[in-house]
Amino acid sequence: MRFVAPAILSAIALPLLASAAVEAPAAPASGPVTWADFLTSCQTPGQIAITYSEGPSEATMVMLETLKEAQAKVTFFANATWLQYMQYAGVTRHAYMDGHLIGMTYRLPSDTSTGRTDEEIKQDIARASRTIQDLIGVYPRYMKVHESNLKDARLLNLLKSMGYTLVGFNLDEYDYKYNTAATSGQIAEVYNAMFSKQLDAYGRKASYIVAGYDVPSTGAASGLPKVVNMIQAHGYDMVRLDGCTNDKTPYKKDPILNNGYVGDAKSFGAAEYKHGQQAVKAINAGAGGGDSSPQDGSDASKATGGGQNKSASSHLVVALSTLAIVPLVCAYLF
Ligand SMILES: *[C@@H]1O[C@H](CO)[C@@H](O)[C@H](O)[C@H]1NC(C)=O
Ligand SMILES: *[C@@H]1O[C@H](CO)[C@@H](O)[C@H](O)[C@H]1NC(C)=O
């Protein structure tokens, strides 16, 4: 809790704590959402759960290559909008098959719950959840609310009542800031500074939930090999969010009802659950794979097709051109 990011404190804690203060202290399981409802660290010191939101995208494919080489698992909060496009649906399915945890991102239509009934909002959340379930067979439990909706207490309370686990973070990897070939190497230094500061101050490891963005306009993909190696060098253990919370059932039984959770073969505690990592020696060349160019920022950027500084609108253009070529749906072809 020590390193809760200022963004979380200002966006969640202030408005929600303020409203919580008016009410009598409520039972944590049923009361209004406070910032304490957001996951911001793991159960076990030394764990680090990297999470990525806003994808899938071209960047996700590159990250999957790196993560495979590192034998490391992360959590992807899928944006259901992108899953309408075959190529992105395939990426999320690939991530799931590779043993990564799939959560979801959610953002209210026009960014407000005002003017909508609870039922309408629930149905909209469920629609996104079902899109993911169509693809991977389970409904996501771990939920990353889009930052522009973090002050919408009504949405947060609805999500909580539906049984979603709200995810925050205590380490921002700043991949949106270090987003060029020249700067993405700095992302690993963000981790280095965090780990070193913790060690200096307390003489022991903390645990971290990392906020990253798997879109081509960030340095997340090209910075990842160095990040893995930095984590390895500091002796931290990479985990999915279910490993971070000791959760054997990281998926929901139902997209709307709060009627329990399920696990799968790769969930925490199950036979195929994996955690940890190994140092990465080569930079992968995206979908082609196998390029063993030396590890530095500029090569990493080339390996991802030079797309590291594309805007969100070019992401959309790619998606739309895909749409023009292939008919919708067909997720299972992947
Ligand atoms: C998903 O992506 C679409 C298209 O870029 C965007 O409009 C929407 O806000 C995103 N949703 C979330 C939850 O991030
Ligand atoms: C990348 O984008 C950022 C912000 O959009 C901009 O400041 C920077 O100059 C861009 N870098 C390159 C290499 O285009």
Side-chain angles (χ1 to χ4, degrees), residues 101 139 141-142 165 242 245-253 260-264 267-268:
L101 183 70
Y139 296 104
R141 166 180 187 164
Y142 287 86
T165 298
D242 52 348
T245 59
N246 295 345
D247 174 13
K248 292 182 175 176
T249 54
Y251 295 101
K252 269 167 77 43
K253 273 190 183 159
Y261 305 98
V262 295
D264 63 5
S267 302
F268 174 74

Side-chain angles (χ1 to χ4, degrees), residues 146-157:
H146 192 271
E147 56 207 25
S148 56
N149 291 181
L150 283 175
K151 290 181 180 172
D152 197 314
R154 191 163 151 238
L155 171 65
L156 300 181
N157 286 324

Side-chain angles (χ1 to χ4, degrees), residues 2-333:
R2 260 182 200 102
F3 294 121
V4 170
I8 286 286
L9 282 173
S10 59
I12 303 169
L14 299 181
L16 294 175
L17 286 179
S19 69
V22 177
E23 316 212 6
S30 58
V33 171
T34 71
W35 73 273
D37 284 295
F38 284 74
L39 268 185
T40 53
S41 62
C42 300
Q43 295 277 317
T44 310
Q47 290 184 330
I48 182 162
I50 302 185
T51 74
Y52 293 109
S53 54
E54 306 291 316
S57 73
E58 292 76 6
T60 322
M61 300 184 242
V62 177
M63 295 196 290
L64 289 177
E65 292 282 319
T66 303
L67 292 167
K68 181 163 261 178
E69 185 183 346
Q71 294 179 31
K73 308 301 175 195
V74 301
T75 300
F76 290 103
F77 297 111
N79 178 338
T81 304
W82 293 111
L83 301 182
Q84 300 169 67
Y85 306 109
M86 224 167 77
Q87 82 182 84
Y88 296 127
V91 172
T92 291
R93 197 166 149 73
H94 186 164
Y96 177 72
M97 304 293 269
D98 275 0
H100 302 291
L101 183 70
I102 307 299
M104 69 183 278
T105 56
Y106 183 71
R107 181 176 190 174
L108 284 160
S110 36
D111 284 339
T112 177
S113 59
T114 306
R116 290 187 175 77
T117 65
D118 285 2
E119 197 50 37
E120 284 166 349
I121 296 171
K122 285 184 181 183
Q123 289 298 341
D124 194 57
I125 296 163
R127 187 186 43 74
S129 178
R130 287 194 190 97
T131 305
I132 295 171
Q133 191 267 349
D134 279 349
L135 212 53
I136 65 172
V138 279
Y139 296 104
R141 166 180 187 164
Y142 287 86
M143 169 70 75
K144 184 82 167 190
V145 176
H146 192 271
E147 56 207 25
S148 56
N149 291 181
L150 283 175
K151 290 181 180 172
D152 197 314
R154 191 163 151 238
L155 171 65
L156 300 181
N157 286 324
L158 269 179
L159 288 167
K160 186 185 175 187
S161 73
M162 293 165 81
Y164 286 97
T165 298
L166 300 169
V167 183
F169 60 92
N170 61 354
L171 198 170
D172 180 345
E173 70 166 26
Y174 290 114
D175 50 30
Y176 46 89
K177 180 176 168 194
Y178 301 120
N179 64 348
T180 66
T183 59
S184 69
Q186 285 303 307
I187 296 171
E189 291 308 317
V190 174
Y191 289 72
N192 191 22
M194 241 354 195
F195 297 152
S196 302
K197 187 170 119 191
Q198 164 68 25
L199 195 63
D200 288 350
Y202 305 104
R204 58 185 153 78
K205 292 189 181 81
S207 69
Y208 297 98
I209 294 178
V210 180
Y213 297 93
D214 56 332
V215 291
S217 55
T218 75
S222 62
L224 184 55
K226 281 184 175 175
V227 165
V228 169
N229 292 349
M230 187 61 75
I231 291 171
Q232 176 75 1
H234 281 266
Y236 275 81
D237 181 30
M238 286 179 73
V239 292
R240 314 176 346 154
L241 279 176
D242 52 348
C244 165
T245 59
N246 295 345
D247 174 13
K248 292 182 175 176
T249 54
Y251 295 101
K252 269 167 77 43
K253 273 190 183 159
D254 186 275
I256 293 184
L257 301 176
N258 187 2
N259 64 349
Y261 305 98
V262 295
D264 63 5
K266 296 182 169 99
S267 302
F268 174 74
E272 295 171 38
Y273 171 76
K274 287 211 59 185
H275 66 102
Q277 70 284 329
Q278 62 183 34
V280 185
K281 288 183 186 65
I283 298 291
N284 285 300
D291 183 13
S292 55
S293 54
Q295 186 182 317
D296 70 51
S298 63
D299 280 309
S301 174
K302 272 182 240 146
T304 60
Q308 288 309 301
N309 215 24
K310 281 181 187 164
S311 66
S313 63
S314 72
H315 189 110
L316 186 61
V317 168
V318 171
L320 291 177
S321 58
T322 306
L323 180 61
I325 303 164
V326 293
L328 269 176
V329 210
C330 330
Y332 283 111
L333 287 181

